[in-house]
Amino acid sequence: MIPETHKNLEAGLIALQKEDYTEAIQLLKTFCQETSDKNSLAYLHGHMALARAYRGDNQRDKAKAIAQALQKHPNPEAKTWADGFVSLLNTEEKTYKKVDNSNIHRLDIKAGRAPQIGIKLPAGNLGSNLLVSSVVTIVGLLGMVGAVCFALFFIIDAKDPTTGVMVAIAFTLLLNALMFFLSPLIMDMTQKWLYKTRWVTLPEIRRSSPEAARVIEQVCAQKKLKTPKLGIIDDQNPTAFTYGSLPNTARLIVSQGLFTYLDDDEVATVYAHELGHIVHWDFAVMTLASTLVQVMYLFYLYGQKRSRSSGDDKLSGWIGAASIVAYIFYFLGNYLTLYLSRTREYFADHFASEVTGNPNGLARALVKIAYGLVEEGQKENQPSYLLESTRALGIYDPKNALTTGFTYSVAKVPHHVGRVFLWDLFNPWAWWSELNSTHPLTGKRVRALTTYAEKIGIGGEFNMAGVVKYGETLDKRKLYGNFVLDVVLFNAPFIGSAIGLILGLLIGKGNITTIISSILIGLGMGSLIKTTVMFPELENPEKTDVLSLMSNPYASPLRGIPVKLMGDLIGRGDAGYKFGSDLMLKDPKGIIFNRYSSRLGPLGNFLFGGQRVQKIIGQQVRVEGWFRRSITGWVDLTYLSYKTTEIKSYPRFWAWLFGGSMVVLGIAIEVML
């Protein structure tokens, strides 16, 4: 039978093998403290493992202290190991030097790149084939348009309505074709007016990034393309985007922040990525897909108008049904277009990896762009209009930046950043969250780039191989077993309203009072059910750190995890908004949002943000609440304390109040009216 103390050693060694260094340190420290025989082999092995865990967690001073103590131990095995470990740490201290350049920190040592460029890389199953996804999207949208056309043609007997809708379609297609060719000129004027875009020459790019200039020359020569019109926007938010109607009239624009936050080789991979969009013609396909989605919406508006104006009740019903189908197709068409948008990003990454031979450089670039967006976001008084207006065009969706950027801003250790990608790769909620995104999640892109690096035969960035290996050991039942039920519970208010509507129609037989009452009761019941699941009891929450939370592959936006954190409040969640009540907490492992909820509702949040938040920024605090994770993570606060002051938050109160009020209101309407 294994002694109780040895269980911590065994569990700590397993955590160390999985590179869960935070868990390993906690378990191994407990084992070493509880072991009375300091000369036993188990104690020595536990101490050696603890030193390795500290090293993996980038706590090199603690790792070195343990090793130096073991150098004096009488056990020859321990002494030999300690001598080698101290030598390794000394070598790493010479190699891993932090560079301070305009408050940007990076490791001098980088994962490798191919000894030559232009190596062909298999795309594998990392993203659907760009041609296939383009064809599926366009054919699917054309099919939807055709189906609604035929429906309207056969439903509407009169010639005028049919002619009218055909003219409307022709006009829409003609207008979009005209916009397709004029849009680059319109975008040029918009860029110049809003963002003061500077059009620059290739020699000017070479002065900022010699390798980027070489990549542009190389790709244009190989693909027989005219050099794109090159622009720079004087904005420190790092971004890059391409637009145009034809490859030889394309515009490739980057922000000044790209040169600020990225190294030369990383800037070159970003330019190569944007050139990939030009070579693949995918911006033209996106324009066509968007046009077809607009046509579906036009059908919907037309059908609704004809349904209301028709004097024939039966005909009006059929037209209304056709318009609803058109809206459903419009809704599905948007998701097809987003799917195509995500796929083209994978293939632009693949193209950049091939032409530069540096997939690791692009992986680093994506993480540093996220970091730059977070850093600049904290400085600005309002959201960046540049990022909002170019979200679909840019190399990175700024909404995906927070988790990666926050982790890199504090840890700046590759394997720490890699750990937060576990959720992106293995949690089903990641797939759900990605459906509404124009770009793949960062973890998926970095994993693809790491695979390319492995194909070339060079080391990958951010220890993604270890992340994937650990992900394969996760409890699949825990990840996927209740996912469908959780999606239902997450949407319980909407589902409850829909059920209430159906029951109201069946029971009330057209009585509007009964229908409204049923909808409100269904909404309230759904909200109460969701609230029960979202906020479990908060007794003795686990003390943890931000990195451990963000690395939790089982976290979800629905089921809150009771947690306790300690750290410094460094600012507001809404940067620049002086009445913002949400807070940003920083501990030694990361930064996370904390959402405050006053018992007085929005008014109380406003007063708290205006009167108290500024006074507690900079304070070391202890917080308790429920951790949730979607594309980013946050804590719904229930308690915050600093010095002798305690602040309470009430997220459950308003959720319960809303649900209960809807039920009571629904019953009252039915009884009184």
Side-chain angles (χ1 to χ4, degrees):
M1 183 175 178
I2 301 174
E4 192 65 32
T5 55
H6 282 49
K7 288 183 179 179
N8 286 326
L9 174 61
E10 186 177 294
L13 292 173
I14 292 172
L16 180 61
Q17 185 180 13
K18 293 179 178 179
E19 299 185 358
D20 187 353
Y21 298 118
T22 302
E23 180 72 11
I25 289 169
Q26 184 177 350
L27 291 166
L28 293 169
K29 277 180 65 178
T30 302
F31 166 75
C32 291
Q33 289 167 358
E34 294 177 351
T35 301
S36 57
D37 186 359
K38 306 302 182 184
N39 292 315
S40 67
L41 285 177
Y43 177 81
L44 291 176
H45 289 157
H47 243 53
M48 294 175 190
L50 181 57
R52 300 204 314 271
Y54 276 132
R55 172 176 171 259
D57 203 45
N58 206 38
Q59 299 185 53
R60 297 177 180 277
D61 291 342
K62 292 182 179 180
K64 195 170 186 177
I66 292 174
Q68 287 173 337
L70 290 176
Q71 281 181 308
K72 302 173 184 177
H73 199 280
N75 186 297
E77 178 189 345
K79 187 177 184 304
T80 302
W81 176 87
D83 288 341
F85 193 72
V86 169
S87 177
L88 172 65
L89 290 173
N90 288 336
T91 301
E92 288 179 342
E93 284 174 5
K94 294 176 183 177
T95 306
Y96 285 81
K97 295 178 181 177
K98 295 290 182 70
V99 177
D100 193 338
N101 178 15
S102 300
N103 294 323
I104 303 160
H105 300 279
R106 57 185 181 271
L107 292 173
D108 278 346
I109 192 165
K110 300 177 180 178
R113 58 185 297 174
Q116 60 193 61
I117 60 175
I119 296 176
K120 288 297 179 184
L121 292 168
N125 60 353
L126 298 169
S128 302
N129 184 277
L130 184 60
L131 176 62
V132 172
S133 61
S134 299
V135 170
V136 167
T137 302
I138 299 304
V139 170
L141 291 172
L142 285 172
M144 293 176 186
V145 171
V148 178
C149 274
F150 280 116
L152 289 173
F153 182 80
F154 286 112
I155 290 171
I156 304 172
D157 243 350
K159 292 181 179 179
D160 285 343
T162 306
T163 303
V165 76
M166 293 305 173
V167 169
I169 292 171
F171 178 77
T172 301
L173 292 174
L174 180 63
L175 179 63
N176 277 276
L178 187 64
M179 289 298 296
F180 178 75
F181 290 104
L182 291 180
S183 61
L185 299 176
I186 297 172
M187 281 284 284
D188 286 349
M189 290 187 291
T190 303
Q191 297 293 324
K192 184 71 175 176
W193 177 49
L194 290 178
Y195 311 123
K196 307 297 185 289
T197 303
R198 294 185 289 111
W199 299 110
V200 298
T201 62
L202 200 56
E204 290 176 86
I205 297 294
R206 185 174 284 108
R207 284 196 289 271
S208 298
S209 175
E211 187 171 343
R214 289 198 300 272
V215 166
I216 295 170
E217 290 174 328
Q218 167 204 335
V219 171
C220 291
Q222 288 179 349
K223 302 299 180 180
K224 297 180 174 55
L225 290 175
K226 182 182 176 183
T227 302
K229 192 174 182 180
L230 303 169
I232 295 179
I233 296 174
D234 291 321
D235 190 304
Q236 287 301 317
N237 285 286
T239 189
F241 55 94
T242 301
Y243 62 90
S245 51
L246 298 170
N248 280 327
T249 62
R251 279 78 161 153
L252 199 168
I253 297 177
V254 304
S255 67
Q256 188 63 44
L258 207 67
F259 303 108
T260 303
Y261 285 94
L262 274 60
D263 293 338
D264 182 26
D265 64 321
E266 295 155 1
V267 173
T269 61
V270 172
Y271 269 97
H273 171 98
E274 295 303 323
L275 288 167
H277 288 311
I278 297 172
V279 170
H280 294 150
W281 279 68
D282 55 45
F283 56 87
V285 178
M286 283 294 294
T287 301
L288 177 58
S290 300
T291 299
L292 293 174
V293 170
Q294 291 175 39
V295 169
M296 295 309 307
Y297 193 69
L298 180 68
F299 278 140
Y300 162 71
L301 294 177
Y302 171 79
Q304 287 292 300
K305 183 177 180 180
R306 287 292 298 155
S307 175
R308 288 192 295 268
S309 62
S310 175
D312 187 331
D313 290 343
K314 185 176 180 180
L315 181 61
S316 176
W318 280 108
I319 296 173
S323 71
I324 292 172
V325 170
Y327 187 82
I328 293 172
F329 283 170
Y330 160 74
F331 179 80
L332 295 175
N334 272 313
Y335 281 97
L336 275 174
T337 305
L338 287 171
Y339 157 71
L340 174 59
S341 178
R342 292 192 297 272
T343 302
R344 76 189 192 118
E345 294 300 327
Y346 278 121
F347 277 83
D349 288 350
H350 179 268
F351 179 85
S353 300
E354 283 193 334
V355 300
T356 64
N358 192 13
N360 285 320
L362 184 54
R364 284 194 305 274
L366 293 176
V367 171
K368 288 185 178 181
I369 287 171
Y371 167 64
L373 294 176
V374 167
E375 285 288 296
E376 294 303 316
Q378 296 306 307
K379 299 174 186 176
E380 296 177 359
N381 294 325
Q382 56 189 6
S384 169
Y385 295 126
L386 170 63
L387 297 178
E388 289 296 323
S389 64
T390 60
R391 180 187 167 209
L393 295 173
I395 187 173
Y396 202 102
D397 186 344
K399 293 186 178 180
N400 293 346
L402 294 176
T403 298
T404 305
F406 281 158
T407 304
Y408 183 76
S409 68
V410 176
K412 298 186 182 70
V413 181
H415 75 258
H416 280 184
V417 178
R419 282 173 59 184
V420 304
F421 294 148
L422 264 173
W423 193 87
D424 290 5
L425 297 177
F426 295 100
N427 193 298
W429 283 103
W431 168 82
W432 181 268
S433 302
E434 195 181 48
L435 287 176
N436 289 302
S437 177
T438 56
H439 292 64
L441 294 179
T442 309
K444 294 184 177 181
R445 295 177 74 179
V446 172
R447 179 186 180 181
L449 291 165
T450 300
T451 302
Y452 301 148
E454 291 168 355
K455 295 292 183 184
I456 296 173
I458 56 178
E461 202 77 54
F462 307 111
N463 190 32
M464 292 304 290
V467 171
V468 172
K469 184 178 179 182
Y470 179 41
E472 291 170 351
T473 68
L474 296 175
D475 186 341
K476 301 300 187 292
R477 181 175 295 180
K478 189 175 178 180
L479 275 174
Y480 302 103
N482 294 319
F483 177 62
V484 174
L485 173 62
D486 281 1
V487 170
V488 172
L489 292 172
F490 190 74
N491 294 283
F494 171 77
I495 294 173
S497 301
I499 293 173
L501 172 62
I502 294 170
L503 291 176
L505 290 171
L506 293 175
I507 298 171
K509 297 179 181 179
N511 186 307
I512 190 65
T513 301
T514 301
I515 293 172
I516 293 174
S517 172
S518 299
I519 291 173
L520 291 175
I521 293 172
L523 172 63
M525 291 298 294
S527 299
L528 292 173
I529 292 170
K530 181 178 178 180
T531 301
T532 303
V533 178
M534 287 184 71
F535 299 101
E537 288 304 314
L538 197 64
E539 294 181 2
N540 298 318
E542 179 185 1
K543 185 178 178 181
T544 184
D545 59 76
V546 174
L547 181 61
S548 297
L549 291 178
M550 300 309 298
S551 304
N552 184 346
Y554 303 108
S556 84
L558 174 70
R559 297 184 183 273
I561 302 173
V563 295
K564 180 190 299 180
L565 289 168
M566 293 190 68
D568 298 323
L569 288 182
I570 61 171
R572 301 176 191 266
D574 300 315
Y577 177 46
K578 64 180 181 180
F579 295 102
S581 60
D582 293 341
L583 306 165
M584 290 178 62
L585 181 142
K586 177 181 178 181
D587 73 2
K589 299 292 185 67
I591 301 172
I592 194 168
F593 287 114
N594 290 259
R595 294 182 176 173
Y596 172 81
S597 299
S598 168
R599 184 168 276 179
L600 298 178
L603 176 61
N605 291 349
F606 180 82
L607 294 174
F608 175 76
Q611 296 177 0
R612 301 192 66 179
V613 168
Q614 194 59 41
K615 298 176 183 177
I616 61 176
I617 289 176
Q619 298 286 344
Q620 187 176 56
V621 300
R622 178 169 67 88
V623 302
E624 294 180 9
W626 293 271
F627 170 70
R628 307 186 196 286
R629 175 77 194 268
S630 184
I631 289 179
T632 188
W634 71 96
V635 173
D636 283 324
L637 281 178
T638 185
Y639 174 86
L640 181 151
S641 68
Y642 67 98
K643 295 181 179 177
T644 59
T645 304
E646 295 184 357
I647 297 171
K648 291 187 177 181
S649 174
Y650 304 92
R652 281 192 295 192
F653 174 78
W654 283 99
W656 282 113
L657 183 63
F658 174 78
S661 298
M662 291 300 101
V663 173
V664 171
L665 181 60
I667 294 173
I669 289 174
E670 180 65 21
V671 171
M672 296 175 65
L673 300 181

